[in-house]
Amino acid sequence: DAKTTQPTSMDCAEGRAANLPCNHSTISGNEYVYWYRQIHSQGPQYIIHGLKNNETNEMASLIITEDRKSSTLILPHATLRDTAVYYCIVLIYNQGGKLIFGQGTELSVKP
Amino acid sequence: DTGVSQNPRHKITKRGQNVTFRCDPISEHNRLYWYRQTLGQGPEFLTYFQNEAQLEKSRLLSDRFSAERPKGSFSTLEIQRTEQGDSAMYLCASSLSLDRGVFGANVLTFGAGSRLTVL
């Protein structure tokens, strides 16, 4: 299984960009990288996913390195409501599409 | 589209009792997943369905746990003879998948969860 490694926690100042790193050195060529977040006592919320190219949507940007062994989620202007646990997940090819969550990064956005 | 709905949101029960949780997925979604989450941990995969067929069960799903999706729409997760270790948040998610087992992208939409406390 492709596993991911994330820092346990990070702080970010409100209004600044939050850059959340993730290592996935054993990823296979056809496996997607997904990012979800979970605000306290809520279900996980989908943010973005990508395969090889960088991706951007209304919530965030995803930068994947050329060798695909790591990625960075960027929240361009973090707000207090972005305080959450952020999960980087590699979708296992040919295993039912289930997401295997790790411990995630606890992001605290501070005023 | 009202998202993924889970009921009840909270359940307190005594050890040894049976409990059942219900999940109503997004209507056009053919895949449905159950996860369990304990305090401070990420969600753990339990099982998933494609339409009414249960395609995979985790080793976490002991024989006291049973999940059904009888008509390929809503699903139930029943826990028999609950134990204190069953106390957790039970999360349901759904997705639309066109492939049976071989995947590219598969975006799961989660419900708010059902919190179980076993006394």
Side-chain angles (χ1 to χ4, degrees):
Chain A
D1 293 358
K3 298 192 187 306
T4 62
T5 304
Q6 299 178 254
T8 303
S9 63
M10 292 181 63
D11 290 340
C12 178
E14 188 178 19
R16 304 297 293 268
N19 297 287
L20 292 92
C22 179
N23 287 321
H24 32 78
S25 58
T26 59
I27 193 170
S28 297
N30 49 17
E31 292 174 342
Y32 283 74
V33 178
Y34 281 74
W35 284 83
Y36 279 74
R37 73 180 182 183
Q38 189 171 25
I39 296 169
H40 183 62
S41 295
Q42 298 182 20
Q45 177 190 22
Y46 166 77
I47 301 173
I48 198 166
H49 72 280
L51 183 62
K52 296 179 182 178
N53 300 319
N54 298 338
E55 302 287 346
T56 295
N57 64 19
E58 65 278 3
M59 289 182 70
S61 294
L62 174 60
I63 308 298
I64 302 174
T65 57
E66 193 169 342
D67 63 7
R68 302 189 70 241
K69 293 185 177 182
S70 66
S71 60
T72 301
L73 179 75
I74 301 172
L75 308 178
H77 306 287
T79 71
L80 298 179
R81 287 178 295 181
D82 292 322
T83 293
V85 178
Y86 287 77
Y87 296 99
C88 169
I89 303 161
V90 172
L91 184 66
I92 305 299
Y93 187 72
N94 200 25
Q95 287 196 17
K98 63 180 182 285
L99 301 174
I100 305 299
F101 289 79
Q103 296 289 87
T105 295
E106 187 166 6
L107 176 69
S108 296
V109 181
K110 300 182 184 299
Chain B
D1 178 2
T2 57
V4 178
S5 177
Q6 293 190 245
N7 288 287
R9 292 293 313 279
H10 302 275
K11 179 71 176 179
I12 300 174
T13 191
K14 293 181 179 178
R15 188 178 53 185
Q17 298 294 304
N18 299 343
V19 296
T20 299
F21 299 113
R22 175 178 170 127
C23 173
D24 288 272
I26 292 172
S27 57
E28 65 268 24
H29 283 184
N30 56 353
R31 292 220 168 207
L32 188 147
Y33 302 79
W34 283 100
Y35 284 80
R36 180 177 73 183
Q37 186 173 27
T38 53
L39 200 60
Q41 303 297 314
E44 299 171 293
F45 169 77
L46 292 178
T47 187
Y48 87 94
F49 294 82
Q50 170 138 339
N51 300 315
E52 67 277 4
Q54 188 172 18
L55 296 186
E56 185 176 349
K57 292 193 287 187
S58 161
R59 275 172 267 179
L60 292 174
L61 212 66
S62 76
D63 54 8
R64 296 185 298 106
F65 288 69
S66 62
E68 294 183 343
R69 195 183 183 198
K71 297 182 180 179
S73 57
F74 73 91
S75 176
T76 57
L77 176 69
E78 181 183 17
I79 308 174
Q80 296 183 325
R81 305 180 303 282
T82 52
E83 301 172 356
Q84 288 184 324
D86 298 330
S87 294
M89 175 78 85
Y90 290 86
L91 293 161
C92 175
S94 68
S95 70
L96 176 63
S97 167
L98 301 178
D99 296 316
R100 183 190 174 89
V102 176
F103 274 91
N106 185 45
V107 176
L108 274 63
T109 301
F110 283 82
S114 294
R115 182 168 296 283
L116 173 65
T117 301
V118 181
L119 302 177

